[in-house]
Amino acid sequence: MFICGLFSSFLVIKWGIMDKIRIVGGRPLDGEVRVSGAKNSALPCIAASLLTADPVFLRNVPGKVRDVSTMILLLEHLGTNASWEGSALRLQADAIDEFEAPYDMVKTMRASVLVLGPLVARFGKAVVSLPGGCAIGARPIDMHLEGLQAFGAEIRIEHGYVSARAKRLKGAHYRFPNITVTGTENLIMAAVLAEGKTVLENCALEPEIADLIALLRMMGANISGEDTPTVTIHGVDSLYTAQHSIIPDRIEAGTFLIAGAITGGSVTVTHCVPGHLAALLEKLGKSGCRLDAGQNSVHIENHGQLHPSDIETHPYPLFPTDLQAQYMALMTQANGICRIHENIFENRFMHVAELQRMRADIKVHGHVAEVHGRTALSGACVMATDLRASASLLLAGLVAEGVTVLQRVYHIDRGYERIEEKLRQLGAEIERIS
Ligand code: EPZ
């Protein structure tokens, strides 16, 4: 218990948990902004380093993103030797002596569950705190566990922890009843060291999964079928050292494109993969924004009226739930009614009440939100409830009249590297109040 208390107070100091962000709205953004590496690829790739005793080198890791630091801390807790060599993160799991991911770490970041597959695959045992619910939904991990059981793991749940044990996992055929991103990643990582052949069906298609597969293949894994719903893995006895560069963060890129649109600005987002943003670009084009996609950049301009364009969130390649809140803020500035269907998480409209406090006119009916625009938003003190909701409130603050103060900034730091500095670079009047 003393250790847990110490870890929490360490978080408060290290990560400025009490910080706020102050925004003065009304300035059109202008200029270029560079996207960081993808948080949702860095997390599984860091966990994958547990699959070998050799060093794994990861580049383009968003080191200032808090969830990434938490994952590195978790691996160090398990016994990994982690260090930065220049801009590369070096991870070596050659002295793993702990197999438990404690509640105090998992409760701050549910993606900690990604150590489950690699630990049981390489060491035959893992104990991970059950993540429990979060602001956006219940988010069970039943499919992760069902898949591991199909590989022959013995799964027990006790005292809030799941323990998985197996002499050696055995390849199997498993079909996900529903699409799950980290579920797909966990079972792929479990199967690469399993005995024999595994076929996973109805896999998620998010680009972060293909990125993980690229790393695992470089470590010597035998995998085929990335970017398709069916992934086939032939287990190997061991994996070895590798170097890999993490793909750009498409959600961060999308957030900056929406920042350019909502402020009536002219923004170029660089070091991104335009193809990963197709669903968003289609909607921004329909809403009236001018878009130019380059090889690894997208330029957006909005100097006119915005038109409403309905969205439905679905697994990739359709519209991502992680851009739903940001897109909602944009649609408060469109002339007419926009309907937003959230199909992935049952409670991902927490930002609505705060946007309404900024004078937005939004009505929620179950998992559909109806945004009535155009509304002249007014600045206010608002409270972040989760990562993407906080990005939505920050975007609303950029266009609102007067001052907006965003509280509980630690939510936004979980997924964006110093977002206020990048926005200031684009001409926003924004500052962090520590
Ligand atoms: C990943 O979460 C992302 N996180 C989320 O991003 C993202 O919102 C989500 O995928 C959907 O795109 C990371 O990659 C670290 P799921 P994940 O399993 O894997 C249900 C952000 O903002 N489900 O694909 O946890 C689940 O409740 C974060 O960066 C089960 O029922 O999401 C949800 O309704 C937030 N049983 C749906 O499936 C399971 O075993 C999809 O969840 C697993 C999931």
Side-chain angles (χ1 to χ4, degrees), residues 278-295:
L280 174 69
L281 298 182
E282 190 233 337
K283 291 294 170 186
L284 291 175
K286 279 207 176 123
S287 73
C289 297
R290 221 196 83 204
L291 293 156
D292 295 301
Q295 193 161 10

PDB file of all heavy atoms in Angstrom, residues 278-295:
ATOM      1  N   ALA A 278      -8.713   9.012 -44.039  1.00  0.00           N
ATOM      2  CA  ALA A 278      -9.685   9.113 -45.144  1.00  0.00           C
ATOM      3  C   ALA A 278     -11.110   9.414 -44.659  1.00  0.00           C
ATOM      4  O   ALA A 278     -11.789  10.289 -45.209  1.00  0.00           O
ATOM      5  CB  ALA A 278      -9.656   7.818 -45.964  1.00  0.00           C
ATOM      6  N   ALA A 279     -11.561   8.727 -43.624  1.00  0.00           N
ATOM      7  CA  ALA A 279     -12.947   8.916 -43.162  1.00  0.00           C
ATOM      8  C   ALA A 279     -13.172  10.357 -42.689  1.00  0.00           C
ATOM      9  O   ALA A 279     -14.192  10.978 -43.009  1.00  0.00           O
ATOM     10  CB  ALA A 279     -13.261   7.943 -42.027  1.00  0.00           C
ATOM     11  N   LEU A 280     -12.195  10.902 -41.960  1.00  0.00           N
ATOM     12  CA  LEU A 280     -12.326  12.293 -41.489  1.00  0.00           C
ATOM     13  C   LEU A 280     -12.263  13.264 -42.659  1.00  0.00           C
ATOM     14  O   LEU A 280     -13.070  14.190 -42.765  1.00  0.00           O
ATOM     15  CB  LEU A 280     -11.226  12.629 -40.482  1.00  0.00           C
ATOM     16  CG  LEU A 280     -11.170  14.094 -40.038  1.00  0.00           C
ATOM     17  CD1 LEU A 280     -12.387  14.462 -39.185  1.00  0.00           C
ATOM     18  CD2 LEU A 280      -9.875  14.411 -39.302  1.00  0.00           C
ATOM     19  N   LEU A 281     -11.297  13.060 -43.568  1.00  0.00           N
ATOM     20  CA  LEU A 281     -11.124  13.994 -44.692  1.00  0.00           C
ATOM     21  C   LEU A 281     -12.397  14.046 -45.539  1.00  0.00           C
ATOM     22  O   LEU A 281     -12.816  15.108 -45.997  1.00  0.00           O
ATOM     23  CB  LEU A 281      -9.917  13.581 -45.534  1.00  0.00           C
ATOM     24  CG  LEU A 281      -8.559  13.602 -44.820  1.00  0.00           C
ATOM     25  CD1 LEU A 281      -7.431  13.208 -45.776  1.00  0.00           C
ATOM     26  CD2 LEU A 281      -8.278  14.953 -44.188  1.00  0.00           C
ATOM     27  N   GLU A 282     -13.047  12.903 -45.685  1.00  0.00           N
ATOM     28  CA  GLU A 282     -14.293  12.872 -46.473  1.00  0.00           C
ATOM     29  C   GLU A 282     -15.336  13.785 -45.817  1.00  0.00           C
ATOM     30  O   GLU A 282     -15.992  14.585 -46.478  1.00  0.00           O
ATOM     31  CB  GLU A 282     -14.784  11.415 -46.553  1.00  0.00           C
ATOM     32  CG  GLU A 282     -15.915  11.194 -47.531  1.00  0.00           C
ATOM     33  CD  GLU A 282     -17.108  10.498 -46.869  1.00  0.00           C
ATOM     34  OE1 GLU A 282     -16.919   9.825 -45.851  1.00  0.00           O
ATOM     35  OE2 GLU A 282     -18.243  10.717 -47.363  1.00  0.00           O
ATOM     36  N   LYS A 283     -15.443  13.719 -44.477  1.00  0.00           N
ATOM     37  CA  LYS A 283     -16.434  14.545 -43.773  1.00  0.00           C
ATOM     38  C   LYS A 283     -16.038  16.024 -43.785  1.00  0.00           C
ATOM     39  O   LYS A 283     -16.894  16.904 -43.942  1.00  0.00           O
ATOM     40  CB  LYS A 283     -16.580  14.045 -42.338  1.00  0.00           C
ATOM     41  CG  LYS A 283     -17.230  12.687 -42.232  1.00  0.00           C
ATOM     42  CD  LYS A 283     -18.674  12.745 -42.702  1.00  0.00           C
ATOM     43  CE  LYS A 283     -19.296  11.380 -42.844  1.00  0.00           C
ATOM     44  NZ  LYS A 283     -20.646  11.456 -43.447  1.00  0.00           N
ATOM     45  N   LEU A 284     -14.755  16.327 -43.617  1.00  0.00           N
ATOM     46  CA  LEU A 284     -14.317  17.733 -43.623  1.00  0.00           C
ATOM     47  C   LEU A 284     -14.549  18.345 -45.006  1.00  0.00           C
ATOM     48  O   LEU A 284     -14.961  19.496 -45.128  1.00  0.00           O
ATOM     49  CB  LEU A 284     -12.848  17.817 -43.225  1.00  0.00           C
ATOM     50  CG  LEU A 284     -12.516  17.483 -41.767  1.00  0.00           C
ATOM     51  CD1 LEU A 284     -11.006  17.478 -41.549  1.00  0.00           C
ATOM     52  CD2 LEU A 284     -13.193  18.459 -40.809  1.00  0.00           C
ATOM     53  N   GLY A 285     -14.345  17.528 -46.052  1.00  0.00           N
ATOM     54  CA  GLY A 285     -14.611  18.011 -47.412  1.00  0.00           C
ATOM     55  C   GLY A 285     -16.090  18.311 -47.597  1.00  0.00           C
ATOM     56  O   GLY A 285     -16.469  19.376 -48.101  1.00  0.00           O
ATOM     57  N   LYS A 286     -16.929  17.400 -47.093  1.00  0.00           N
ATOM     58  CA  LYS A 286     -18.383  17.585 -47.217  1.00  0.00           C
ATOM     59  C   LYS A 286     -18.847  18.813 -46.422  1.00  0.00           C
ATOM     60  O   LYS A 286     -19.816  19.467 -46.783  1.00  0.00           O
ATOM     61  CB  LYS A 286     -19.102  16.342 -46.679  1.00  0.00           C
ATOM     62  CG  LYS A 286     -19.172  15.185 -47.669  1.00  0.00           C
ATOM     63  CD  LYS A 286     -20.375  14.284 -47.396  1.00  0.00           C
ATOM     64  CE  LYS A 286     -20.479  13.204 -48.454  1.00  0.00           C
ATOM     65  NZ  LYS A 286     -20.458  11.845 -47.856  1.00  0.00           N
ATOM     66  N   SER A 287     -18.136  19.117 -45.351  1.00  0.00           N
ATOM     67  CA  SER A 287     -18.573  20.261 -44.519  1.00  0.00           C
ATOM     68  C   SER A 287     -18.138  21.591 -45.125  1.00  0.00           C
ATOM     69  O   SER A 287     -18.481  22.647 -44.615  1.00  0.00           O
ATOM     70  CB  SER A 287     -18.003  20.114 -43.103  1.00  0.00           C
ATOM     71  OG  SER A 287     -16.625  20.393 -43.125  1.00  0.00           O
ATOM     72  N   GLY A 288     -17.333  21.501 -46.226  1.00  0.00           N
ATOM     73  CA  GLY A 288     -16.995  22.745 -46.931  1.00  0.00           C
ATOM     74  C   GLY A 288     -15.542  23.184 -46.806  1.00  0.00           C
ATOM     75  O   GLY A 288     -15.154  24.217 -47.343  1.00  0.00           O
ATOM     76  N   CYS A 289     -14.720  22.392 -46.120  1.00  0.00           N
ATOM     77  CA  CYS A 289     -13.304  22.771 -45.978  1.00  0.00           C
ATOM     78  C   CYS A 289     -12.546  22.436 -47.259  1.00  0.00           C
ATOM     79  O   CYS A 289     -12.875  21.459 -47.935  1.00  0.00           O
ATOM     80  CB  CYS A 289     -12.669  22.022 -44.812  1.00  0.00           C
ATOM     81  SG  CYS A 289     -13.415  22.423 -43.238  1.00  0.00           S
ATOM     82  N   ARG A 290     -11.511  23.243 -47.515  1.00  0.00           N
ATOM     83  CA  ARG A 290     -10.654  22.915 -48.674  1.00  0.00           C
ATOM     84  C   ARG A 290      -9.486  22.079 -48.162  1.00  0.00           C
ATOM     85  O   ARG A 290      -8.887  22.401 -47.130  1.00  0.00           O
ATOM     86  CB  ARG A 290     -10.112  24.192 -49.312  1.00  0.00           C
ATOM     87  CG  ARG A 290     -10.131  24.098 -50.840  1.00  0.00           C
ATOM     88  CD  ARG A 290      -9.292  25.122 -51.531  1.00  0.00           C
ATOM     89  NE  ARG A 290      -7.883  24.691 -51.586  1.00  0.00           N
ATOM     90  CZ  ARG A 290      -6.876  25.560 -51.709  1.00  0.00           C
ATOM     91  NH1 ARG A 290      -7.127  26.861 -51.717  1.00  0.00           N
ATOM     92  NH2 ARG A 290      -5.625  25.127 -51.774  1.00  0.00           N
ATOM     93  N   LEU A 291      -9.210  20.956 -48.845  1.00  0.00           N
ATOM     94  CA  LEU A 291      -8.192  20.020 -48.367  1.00  0.00           C
ATOM     95  C   LEU A 291      -7.204  19.691 -49.492  1.00  0.00           C
ATOM     96  O   LEU A 291      -7.615  19.488 -50.638  1.00  0.00           O
ATOM     97  CB  LEU A 291      -8.853  18.721 -47.900  1.00  0.00           C
ATOM     98  CG  LEU A 291      -9.724  18.836 -46.654  1.00  0.00           C
ATOM     99  CD1 LEU A 291     -10.765  17.728 -46.621  1.00  0.00           C
ATOM    100  CD2 LEU A 291      -8.875  18.802 -45.403  1.00  0.00           C
ATOM    101  N   ASP A 292      -5.914  19.661 -49.145  1.00  0.00           N
ATOM    102  CA  ASP A 292      -4.894  19.203 -50.094  1.00  0.00           C
ATOM    103  C   ASP A 292      -4.030  18.180 -49.382  1.00  0.00           C
ATOM    104  O   ASP A 292      -3.386  18.512 -48.373  1.00  0.00           O
ATOM    105  CB  ASP A 292      -4.006  20.365 -50.558  1.00  0.00           C
ATOM    106  CG  ASP A 292      -4.808  21.383 -51.352  1.00  0.00           C
ATOM    107  OD1 ASP A 292      -5.377  20.988 -52.380  1.00  0.00           O
ATOM    108  OD2 ASP A 292      -4.902  22.541 -50.880  1.00  0.00           O
ATOM    109  N   ALA A 293      -4.050  16.955 -49.879  1.00  0.00           N
ATOM    110  CA  ALA A 293      -3.237  15.917 -49.232  1.00  0.00           C
ATOM    111  C   ALA A 293      -1.954  15.721 -50.021  1.00  0.00           C
ATOM    112  O   ALA A 293      -1.982  15.566 -51.236  1.00  0.00           O
ATOM    113  CB  ALA A 293      -4.030  14.616 -49.169  1.00  0.00           C
ATOM    114  N   GLY A 294      -0.824  15.732 -49.299  1.00  0.00           N
ATOM    115  CA  GLY A 294       0.479  15.462 -49.918  1.00  0.00           C
ATOM    116  C   GLY A 294       0.888  14.037 -49.576  1.00  0.00           C
ATOM    117  O   GLY A 294       0.053  13.245 -49.119  1.00  0.00           O
ATOM    118  N   GLN A 295       2.159  13.710 -49.779  1.00  0.00           N
ATOM    119  CA  GLN A 295       2.614  12.356 -49.454  1.00  0.00           C
ATOM    120  C   GLN A 295       2.490  12.087 -47.953  1.00  0.00           C
ATOM    121  O   GLN A 295       1.956  11.067 -47.515  1.00  0.00           O
ATOM    122  CB  GLN A 295       4.064  12.175 -49.882  1.00  0.00           C
ATOM    123  CG  GLN A 295       4.402  10.690 -49.834  1.00  0.00           C
ATOM    124  CD  GLN A 295       5.612  10.370 -50.646  1.00  0.00           C
ATOM    125  OE1 GLN A 295       6.317  11.283 -51.104  1.00  0.00           O
ATOM    126  NE2 GLN A 295       5.828   9.077 -50.831  1.00  0.00           N
TER     127      GLN A 295
END
